[in-house]
Amino acid sequence: LDFDGSDDYVDLGDPGTGAVSEGNTWSVSFWAKASTGQGDSTIYSEGNPADWASNLLVIYYADNAITATPSVRIFFRDGAGTESTTLDSDSSIDLADSKWHYVTVIQRATNDRELYIDSISRSTNTDNIANITVTSTTIGANNNNGTRTQFFSGGVDNVRTYNRVLSQAEITRLYNMGR
């Protein structure tokens, strides 16, 4: 999928009970290559657009206009809207380096998450975030109260969601298969 950063996105609709972030254990993975100069741009999101202040999972790319160094970030906000957390790859990888990168986010429990890029663990988080209620899943943008925002500029390929945790060996195997 090639996104122009201004109005392209894929609306996967309401996943019903199949949303990954509604369960205690899950994984999301995809290949991505970002364009430069885009600020915050959403690669994958799940949430409840009518209640964007809560019930939100966003995997996004932040270039150095937003953060000190370009990074992949994962933002969570639970149903109460009071707890939020961010997994951040920091400066370990820049998706806008003209190469494809394999991004995987796993949740082993509501207080155990990990971000992998190119099969290497880049960040962990143990904040206790409750499951969220999902009525919308989108690739390439965020759904803020029914309005698409934070459009991604670049390529996204082979988006996969799992209702289980991928092992390190599985993440490495999928990374090597896609190289």
Side-chain angles (χ1 to χ4, degrees), residues 84-105:
S84 63
T85 185
T86 302
L87 286 161
D88 193 337
S89 68
D90 294 320
S91 61
S92 60
I93 202 78
D94 183 1
L95 293 188
D97 64 1
S98 75
K99 299 175 187 172
W100 285 93
H101 295 282
Y102 187 60
V103 177
T104 306
V105 181

Side-chain angles (χ1 to χ4, degrees), residues 14 26 41 68 80 120 122 128-129 145 160 170 178:
D14 185 344
W26 50 264
S41 58
I120 298 169
R122 307 292 180 163
N128 190 21
I129 302 296
N145 295 320
R160 296 177 178 211
E170 288 174 304

Side-chain angles (χ1 to χ4, degrees), residues 37-171:
Q38 57 184 313
D40 275 348
S41 58
T42 301
I43 302 168
Y44 179 91
S45 68
E46 289 186 355
N48 182 344
D51 187 15
W52 198 62
S54 61
N55 293 302
L56 186 64
L57 160 68
V58 180
I59 303 171
Y60 67 101
Y61 171 68
D63 68 14
N64 57 0
I66 300 297
T67 59
T69 56
S71 63
V72 175
R73 290 180 153 190
I74 294 79
F75 179 78
F76 299 88
R77 193 176 286 151
D78 69 12
T82 55
E83 295 183 63
S84 63
T85 185
T86 302
L87 286 161
D88 193 337
S89 68
D90 294 320
S91 61
S92 60
I93 202 78
D94 183 1
L95 293 188
D97 64 1
S98 75
K99 299 175 187 172
W100 285 93
H101 295 282
Y102 187 60
V103 177
T104 306
V105 181
I106 63 171
Q107 178 171 288
R108 294 179 195 91
T110 56
N111 64 348
D112 185 5
R113 287 166 219 78
E114 194 162 2
L115 165 64
Y116 293 84
I117 301 178
D118 297 336
S119 78
I120 298 169
S121 177
R122 307 292 180 163
S123 182
T124 60
N125 181 281
T126 57
D127 289 347
N128 190 21
I129 302 296
N131 295 337
I132 66 175
T133 300
V134 175
T135 60
S136 175
T137 303
T138 306
I139 300 170
N142 203 346
N143 190 348
N144 180 354
N145 295 320
T147 302
R148 304 297 181 196
T149 62
Q150 298 173 310
F151 293 98
F152 181 71
S153 178
V156 178
D157 194 19
N158 204 13
V159 178
R160 296 177 178 211
T161 61
Y162 302 86
N163 63 356
R164 64 180 182 84
V165 175
L166 291 174
S167 69
Q168 172 68 56
E170 288 174 304
I171 294 168

